[in-house]
């Protein structure tokens, strides 16, 4: 059964730092991997979708990479800002089920 | 205004009652999903539907029921058989299971 793990569970950084969030999954037979952002008490906002045939995707200050063979993805946030403070979730899409989520990394960026 | 609408935003249920959470979308997406979120647990899949009049159980379907009579709508009923229903419920849609998924703003259900 697919398991998705996110490390670290929480992260605090000063404004301006570049940072990396990690996501690992146990079964490499995935269609795609998606990164989301969740603010407290809100729904999920899609950040980036990486298809299984892709290595990375970029959107503004965000860059996500995918190494399917090793079961790893990273989300790189450049020049972090207080507005980036949120919980970041990764999820994989595979046959026979819907998105399977990690428990998330809660990011706090201080000014 | 396009997107996914979940209602109500807050819902209170008495012990023994059934309640229904609404999820409506105008994105013309075929796939719809229901997740439950508890603190420290991440999102867990309750039910999903790839097409009208068809749906499958997720990991925690016991105590829940769904219907998919229209493409736009995928209501979730929390029955009295669900012993611990207090949670944040999230609905999501996608064109199909291989494409980007989008989420509604959620319904917070509390048992009183």
């Amino acid at each position: 059964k697919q398991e998705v793990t996110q490390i670290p569970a929480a992260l605090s950084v000063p404004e301006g730092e570049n940072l990396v969030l990690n996501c690992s999954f146990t079964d490499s037979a995935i269609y795609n991997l998606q990164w989301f952002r969740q603010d407290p008490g809100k729904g999920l906002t899609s950040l980036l979708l990486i298809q299984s045939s892709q290595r990375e995707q970029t959107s503004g200050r965000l860059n996500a990479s995918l190494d399917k063979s090793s079961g790893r993805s990273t989300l790189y946030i450049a020049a972090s800002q207080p507005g980036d403070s949120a919980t970041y979730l990764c999820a994989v899409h595979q046959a026979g089920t819907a998105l399977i989520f990690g428990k998330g990394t809660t990011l706090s960026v201080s000014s | 205004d396009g997107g996914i609408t979940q209602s109500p935003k807050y819902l209170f249920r008495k012990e023994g009652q059934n309640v229904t959470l609404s999820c409506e979308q105008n994105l013309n997406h075929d796939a719809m999903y229901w997740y439950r979120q508890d603190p420290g647990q991440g999102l867990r899949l309750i039910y999903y539907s790839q097409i009208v009049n068809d749906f499958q159980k997720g990991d925690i379907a016991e105590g829940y029921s769904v219907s998919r009579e229209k493409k736009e709508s995928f209501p979730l009923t929390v029955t009295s058989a669900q012993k611990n229903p207090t949670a944040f419920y999230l609905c999501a849609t996608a064109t199909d299971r291989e494409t980007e998924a989008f989420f509604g703003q959620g319904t917070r259900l509390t048992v009183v």
Side-chain angles (χ1 to χ4, degrees), chain A residues 23 57 64:
Chain A
C23 173
Q57 283 283 355

Side-chain angles (χ1 to χ4, degrees), chain A residues 32 34 38 46 93 96 98-99, chain B residues 35 37 48 97-98 100-101:
Chain A
N32 56 54
Q34 196 168 349
Q38 186 178 29
S46 178
H93 229 152
L99 283 166
Chain B
Y35 288 89
Q37 188 176 35
Y48 64 104
R97 62 187 178 190
E98 300 181 30
E100 188 174 10

